[in-house]
Structure formats: C-alpha cells, structure tokens
Amino acid sequence: MFGKLFRKPRADFDELASNLYQVLVEEPPSSGDPDALGPSELEIEPAQFIEFSQKRTFLLEAMFFCAAITAAGGGKTPLVSSVQKLLEGKWRVRGMRSEVITSMHDACWDEIELLLSSDVVPVSWSKKWLAVFYPDGDFGPHLYSWARQCHQEFTAMKSMFDDYSK
C-alpha cells in the first residue's frame, strides 16, 4: 500500500522519457562538438543523406533504449517502459514493420551490440554500419572516429539515465 503512495505517476515517466529523447536523440550528445561527424564529414553522397538520417535516427534510438535498460540494471522500470512506449509510437508513425516493433529489445541490441562489445573502439562495427554508404569498401579516414563518436554517445546516454535510475 505504501509503495503506491510514493510512486511517481506514469505521466511523469512519459514526460521524462520524452524530454530525454529530445536531449539525447533529437539533439545527440555529439551535436555540440565541433569535431562531430555527420554525413558531410563522412563524405556520404548527398543522394544518400536521407538514408543516412534514417539509419542514424534508428541508431540513436537503439542506443537510447539500450542505455535506459542498462542503467536500470537490465530490468523493466517505469522509465524503461515509458521509453519503450515512446519509441513504439515513433516507429509506428514512421511505418516501421510491426515485427521490429514487437521485438524492439532484440532489434536495438542487434544494432549496437558489436559497438559495445569491447573496451577498444570497434572498427568492425563501424565498417558494418557504414557499409551501405561505401559499397566499394573504401571507408575513408573517419572509420575509427565514427565508432568512437557513437560509443561516446552511448556512454553519455547511459550516464544521463543513470541519474534517473537511482
């Protein structure tokens, strides 16, 4: 009985998830960094900018979801549930396949697992992620920097969720 008296209303977690999404996905942690890599810096062809943007958004959302889960110790907290609900809504609006939405946990971890698989910068993840934009296999000089930037973004997201998971 007392637990219910001291719990935050569901709407508070939904609002927090929305606010965190704005700060961490719409304006990713690297966006203020003058050395941040985007499609131009990665020398992505202008015709592929939309595809890059869509792939990048999914990557940031996967990191967002996984950071929430990791900060919660792998459990399903009210904040993790609100994050999941928020992403499900966004994915439906964008026309994501229903089987991806229902297997959100697996889809997100599949996207970033190799990125987080070791303490060293995972260049193999970077190659896999960027391969669609470099069909000739010439990734240019930014392969390491892209992996490092994405790894740092996940770390920043997890740190932010850590603050709300205590």
Side-chain angles (χ1 to χ4, degrees), residues 89-109:
K90 289 184 178 299
W91 290 8
R92 279 193 180 84
V93 167
R94 288 199 306 257
M96 184 120 15
R97 294 185 335 256
S98 62
E99 53 276 5
V100 174
I101 294 171
T102 57
S103 63
M104 178 182 289
H105 183 274
D106 293 338
C108 289
W109 280 109

Side-chain angles (χ1 to χ4, degrees), residues 9-112:
R10 172 79 182 185
D12 287 352
F13 289 106
D14 290 348
E15 182 179 354
L16 177 58
S18 181
N19 290 341
L20 288 170
Y21 183 91
Q22 287 175 322
V23 170
L24 299 172
V25 176
E26 290 176 0
E27 193 73 27
S30 64
S31 62
D33 183 351
D35 295 325
L37 299 172
S40 297
E41 294 80 10
L42 290 168
E43 300 174 19
I44 305 294
E45 294 293 324
Q48 293 181 302
F49 278 14
I50 291 173
E51 183 179 4
F52 178 86
S53 176
Q54 292 168 342
K55 189 170 171 69
R56 175 75 166 136
T57 297
F58 181 70
L59 171 62
L60 289 166
E61 288 174 343
M63 290 192 294
F64 182 70
F65 181 70
C66 294
I69 291 171
T70 303
K76 188 135 184 184
T77 65
L79 180 55
V80 170
S81 295
S82 290
V83 165
Q84 183 172 352
K85 179 180 145 188
L86 174 72
L87 291 178
E88 285 172 353
K90 289 184 178 299
W91 290 8
R92 279 193 180 84
V93 167
R94 288 199 306 257
M96 184 120 15
R97 294 185 335 256
S98 62
E99 53 276 5
V100 174
I101 294 171
T102 57
S103 63
M104 178 182 289
H105 183 274
D106 293 338
C108 289
W109 280 109
D110 287 348
E111 181 72 8
I112 68 164

